[in-house]
């Protein structure tokens, strides 16, 4: 496994494919590896790490904190409401807000910790039943309530492309997320939505071309 080299390759692709490369951040998805390998990641200077399970995140965070390693943890998976309390004191961003009840719980736990937690709204663009994420009409219904929450800061949108190798479908989904961001910015957010979290190992180049600002890459780095 050549972690450093693989990360440099993805960073190079950001420059190559994104029209806004300076605004793009790589989230290294570390769910496949342990703390020893995470230290290899941190040696490259990249320190935004993504995990999709609370328990595992807790263990890795403790381990790295013991070594005084500074990490920005992004939660990227489906988050159960009853587990928010475990990560609320340190999580840097939650990519996967897909229910009002979850948003309210994050807000409550953020407040208890005197924090404002940055979040993204996860949107299910393609309508696959197996995927988490807001349908647009549900989101619009929830927005007035979401906007009242003072200890979460909604900074953008997240989506996952459907399971397909069809680049046209991937591109269509990413383009759509950008359009929704622009519309929400105009109507509700006064241009405070700046982030688009989209693109994983198999589709991040297309996501970059379509304006991704956060790409979540795991298997390509840890293969
Ligand atoms: C695992 C995971 C990723 C990374 O996927 P790779 O294909 O390994 O790059 C990105 N986002 C989410 C939500 C994930 O669960």
């Amino acid at each position: 496994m050549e972690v450093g080299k693989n990360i440099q390759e993805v960073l190079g692709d950001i420059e190559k494919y994104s029209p806004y490369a300076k605004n793009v951040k790589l989230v290294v998805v570390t769910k496949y590896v342990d703390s020893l390998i995470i230290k290899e990641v941190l040696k490259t200077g990249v320190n935004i790490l993504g995990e999709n399970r609370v328990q595992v995140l807790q263990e890795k965070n403790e381990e790295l904190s013991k070594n005084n390693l500074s990490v920005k943890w992004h939660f990227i998976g489906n988050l159960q409401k009853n587990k928010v309390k475990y990560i609320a004191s340190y999580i840097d961003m939650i990519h996967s807000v897909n229910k009002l009840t979850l948003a309210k719980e994050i807000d409550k736990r953020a407040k208890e910790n005197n924090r404002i937690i940055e979040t993204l709204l996860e949107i299910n663009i393609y309508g696959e039943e197996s995927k988490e994420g807001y349908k647009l009409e549900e989101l619009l219904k929830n927005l007035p309530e979401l906007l009242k929450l003072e200890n979460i800061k909604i900074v953008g949108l997240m989506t996952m492309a459907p399971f397909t190798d069809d680049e046209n479908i991937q591109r269509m989904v990413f383009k759509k997320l950008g359009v929704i961001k622009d519309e929400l910015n105009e109507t509700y957010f006064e241009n405070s939505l700046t982030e688009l979290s989209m693109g994983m190992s198999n589709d991040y180049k297309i996501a970059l071309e379509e304006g991704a600002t956060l790409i979540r890459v795991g298997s390509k780095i840890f293969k």
Side-chain angles (χ1 to χ4, degrees):
M1 205 189 313
E2 299 182 88
V3 172
K5 183 168 153 277
N6 296 340
I7 287 178
Q8 291 312 328
E9 194 181 323
V10 178
L11 293 175
D13 285 339
I14 291 176
E15 298 294 327
K16 189 165 162 198
Y17 291 95
S18 172
Y20 322 104
K22 283 197 176 56
N23 299 329
V24 178
K25 296 195 183 89
L26 168 62
V27 179
V28 176
V29 177
T30 50
K31 65 189 181 191
Y32 308 105
V33 297
D34 61 19
S35 303
L36 207 62
I37 294 178
I38 292 177
K39 287 177 192 166
E40 296 295 311
V41 173
L42 298 175
K43 276 185 203 157
T44 69
V46 171
N47 72 343
I48 303 177
L49 308 182
E51 284 284 336
N52 67 343
R53 298 223 196 289
V54 168
Q55 172 84 35
V56 177
L57 169 55
Q58 288 281 86
E59 288 164 14
K60 290 178 183 172
N61 181 50
E62 269 173 41
E63 179 77 22
L64 295 172
S65 305
K66 261 191 270 169
N67 291 286
N68 275 325
L69 292 166
S70 147
V71 169
K72 291 185 170 154
W73 287 111
H74 284 206
F75 196 86
I76 59 172
N78 194 39
L79 180 55
Q80 284 172 291
K81 216 171 53 132
N82 62 347
K83 296 198 173 154
V84 174
K85 57 179 177 283
Y86 300 118
I87 61 172
S89 66
Y90 66 87
I91 199 77
D92 191 64
M93 189 185 286
I94 296 174
H95 287 228
S96 42
V97 172
N98 51 25
K99 287 182 198 73
L100 182 57
T101 49
L102 173 61
K104 285 182 170 168
E105 177 68 14
I106 297 169
D107 180 65
K108 175 180 152 193
R109 299 297 178 179
K111 198 169 294 171
E112 285 175 2
N113 285 280
N114 289 315
R115 299 187 67 213
I116 292 174
I117 296 180
E118 292 196 336
T119 61
L120 306 175
L121 300 170
E122 180 181 5
I123 302 191
N124 182 342
I125 301 273
Y126 205 62
E128 285 174 300
E129 290 302 327
S130 61
K131 285 254 163 69
E132 301 289 338
Y134 267 119
K135 302 242 165 67
L136 190 55
E137 56 281 12
E138 278 171 76
L139 172 63
L140 294 175
K141 236 189 293 168
N142 281 181
L143 259 183
E145 290 287 309
L146 287 167
L147 289 167
K148 284 185 205 154
L149 303 173
E150 291 181 344
N151 289 67
I152 69 173
K153 182 165 182 230
I154 301 170
V155 295
L157 306 179
M158 180 269 220
T159 200
M160 291 173 80
F163 294 110
T164 172
D165 289 329
D166 185 335
E167 289 194 9
N168 294 321
I169 293 178
Q170 292 165 343
R171 191 177 298 280
M172 185 265 285
V173 165
F174 297 146
K175 232 186 240 305
K176 185 82 195 286
L177 195 71
V179 169
I180 294 172
K181 187 191 82 163
D182 291 345
E183 290 173 355
L184 293 178
N185 259 335
E186 200 162 303
T187 317
Y188 297 94
F189 285 92
E190 298 172 349
N191 292 323
S192 62
L193 298 180
T194 54
E195 306 302 321
L196 285 175
S197 169
M198 55 191 198
M200 314 186 354
S201 291
N202 67 332
D203 55 16
Y204 72 81
K205 293 174 187 170
I206 298 170
L208 287 167
E209 288 175 345
E210 297 303 331
T213 63
L214 293 157
I215 55 172
R216 311 179 307 269
V217 183
S219 45
K220 187 188 160 98
I221 291 169
F222 301 112
K223 67 195 170 200

